[in-house]
Amino acid sequence: MELRQIRAFVVVADEASFTRAAARLNLVQSAVSAAVRNLERHLGAELFERTTHHVHLTQAGRLFLPEARRTLAAAQEAQHVIEQMRGGLRGEVRLGVIQTPQHVVAQPALLISKFRAKHPGVTVSIQAGGSVSHAEDLRKKRLDVAFVILPREATAGLDMYVLASEKLQLLCHTDHPLAERDQVQLAELVDQPFIDTPATWGNRLATDSAFARAGLTRKVAYEIGDTAGLASLVEHGLGVAIGPMSFINPENGIRAVSLGSDAPSLTLSLAVPAGHAVSTPVRALLQTAQELSERECRINGRSDHQGDLSDDGDRRGERAGRAGGSGTVEWGAGRAVRCDAS
């Protein structure tokens, strides 16, 4: 049994396709098929049910998959230990990035810069996209870690390390009838034309979830994949939006109004796949993010930060995944605690 055979099996299982697995592994499909066949021959069991259009795990394949993942993770960790002994961590981190609020200390560019300064032997490849697509790529192991803004109900299969959380507000032109109000309820907004981000963006997910929980519907008149563009549409009186203060410049004729108890929250997190050991390079990047968040806590005068990824802390995500749900470690919120998703 060879590691390349096990790796081919795991990628085919993740992609449910030999063709997609071959593309991900940068191999011809025949090589991937041969690797899996040789592994099946060695194990004495078929791992996949193959049809013309579909590839499904057999019972043997489902039993073998978690062990195969652990084998690959252990082999990778063993390599990282030797690399560190030889003078530095090496490897690659595949990082998903999104448009993040500008006031957050752990911006992708700053995080990568600080991380690379400490670990120049680790390559960081970035993939831009929306939170929903990043979450799916994490579950499919196409990404190692990603910035995401997701409501709790969308975090199944992920462990979340919270960087910052902010209450959303109504954003409207200063001439809007609601602009002089101290507080507005969601029910008062159902007839308003909304400006919002695409359906897979975190801000949109948080807002849609808030209206759904309240049993309300609204009309999105303009959808735009750019926060500056969203603010510009509000500035020109084309509709209202729900978003964080970081979306706007109050000097540009936009007023932020509290949504009171109805206000959804925008929570920026770093997400990793649940139920799997975090690799040493990814753990090091999470540690760097934690250090940036701790610095933000100190700058903002908060001293109750209790997060720690050292020693046992780096395994919290693995345990949460095995417990059957995603978990959350809150950094930027000032406390590091495990929260079970329910």
Side-chain angles (χ1 to χ4, degrees):
M1 188 185 308
E2 300 178 11
L3 287 176
R4 64 181 181 84
Q5 297 170 346
I6 298 174
R7 186 173 294 107
F9 160 73
V10 169
V11 175
V12 172
D14 287 342
E15 299 292 340
S17 164
F18 280 88
T19 301
R20 290 193 295 270
R24 184 169 148 189
L25 291 167
N26 293 315
L27 297 171
V28 296
Q29 184 174 332
S30 59
V32 176
S33 298
V36 172
R37 280 198 306 271
N38 289 335
L39 179 61
E40 291 175 322
R41 190 177 300 115
H42 176 85
L43 294 172
E46 288 192 358
L47 301 174
F48 293 106
E49 293 177 0
R50 302 164 175 84
T51 66
T52 305
H53 302 291
H54 300 284
V55 176
H56 301 289
L57 286 168
T58 62
Q59 182 180 4
R62 289 191 294 271
L63 291 172
F64 184 64
L65 182 58
E67 302 304 325
R69 293 194 195 280
R70 279 192 279 273
T71 298
L72 293 177
Q76 187 178 54
E77 284 302 293
Q79 182 177 349
H80 290 154
V81 167
I82 298 302
E83 288 169 347
Q84 284 184 293
M85 181 192 70
R86 289 176 174 172
L89 186 61
R90 298 185 180 278
E92 180 186 12
V93 174
R94 298 168 299 173
L95 174 67
V97 300
I98 60 175
Q99 287 194 42
T100 57
Q102 291 301 309
H103 68 279
V104 176
V105 171
Q107 288 286 324
L110 178 60
L111 175 59
I112 295 170
S113 175
K114 295 291 186 182
F115 175 74
R116 290 275 295 148
K118 295 170 65 176
H119 305 286
V122 179
T123 300
V124 179
S125 59
I126 62 173
Q127 176 178 311
S131 294
V132 172
S133 61
H134 285 342
E136 185 61 21
D137 284 340
L138 287 167
R139 296 184 187 105
K140 294 288 188 181
K141 312 302 182 296
R142 299 188 188 108
L143 288 174
D144 300 309
V145 58
F147 285 88
V148 297
I149 298 173
L150 292 169
R152 175 167 290 198
E153 58 267 25
T155 63
L158 303 175
D159 280 327
M160 315 294 287
Y161 294 85
V162 176
L163 299 172
S165 186
E166 182 177 3
K167 288 288 187 182
L168 304 188
Q169 301 184 63
L170 173 69
L171 310 178
C172 61
H173 192 272
T174 51
D175 291 336
H176 193 280
L178 297 174
E180 297 305 316
R181 295 272 296 275
D182 293 328
Q183 186 172 298
V184 176
Q185 302 301 317
L186 291 182
E188 300 177 77
L189 303 176
V190 293
D191 294 326
Q192 295 289 330
F194 268 87
I195 303 161
D196 213 331
T197 53
T200 59
W201 283 38
N203 190 81
R204 176 70 171 271
L205 290 168
T207 304
D208 285 347
S209 294
F211 273 86
R213 285 194 301 269
L216 302 171
T217 58
R218 63 181 179 131
K219 178 185 176 182
V220 177
Y222 300 98
E223 184 177 283
I224 183 167
D226 177 69
T227 56
L230 180 148
S232 180
L233 291 174
V234 174
E235 180 185 342
H236 286 84
L238 294 173
V240 301
I242 289 179
M245 280 290 293
S246 53
F247 276 14
I248 66 169
N249 181 349
E251 296 179 359
N252 290 344
I254 299 178
R255 172 96 158 90
V257 182
S258 171
L259 292 170
S261 59
D262 289 341
S265 294
L266 197 69
T267 301
L268 175 68
S269 306
L270 279 170
V272 297
H276 305 286
V278 178
S279 72
T280 300
V282 172
R283 192 161 62 245
L285 185 136
L286 291 173
Q287 180 70 46
T288 303
Q290 183 182 9
E291 291 167 359
L292 289 172
S293 292
E294 287 177 336
R295 187 180 75 178
E296 182 177 19
C297 287
R298 289 193 296 271
I299 291 172
N300 291 334
R302 297 198 302 267
S303 59
D304 58 346
H305 192 283
Q306 299 177 9
D308 186 7
L309 282 183
S310 61
D311 301 327
D312 184 57
D314 56 11
R315 299 297 179 185
R316 286 176 293 186
E318 180 181 0
R319 288 201 305 274
R322 290 181 181 173
S326 62
T328 302
V329 174
E330 299 181 1
W331 287 342
R335 293 181 62 82
V337 296
R338 170 63 57 191
C339 304
D340 295 328
S342 58

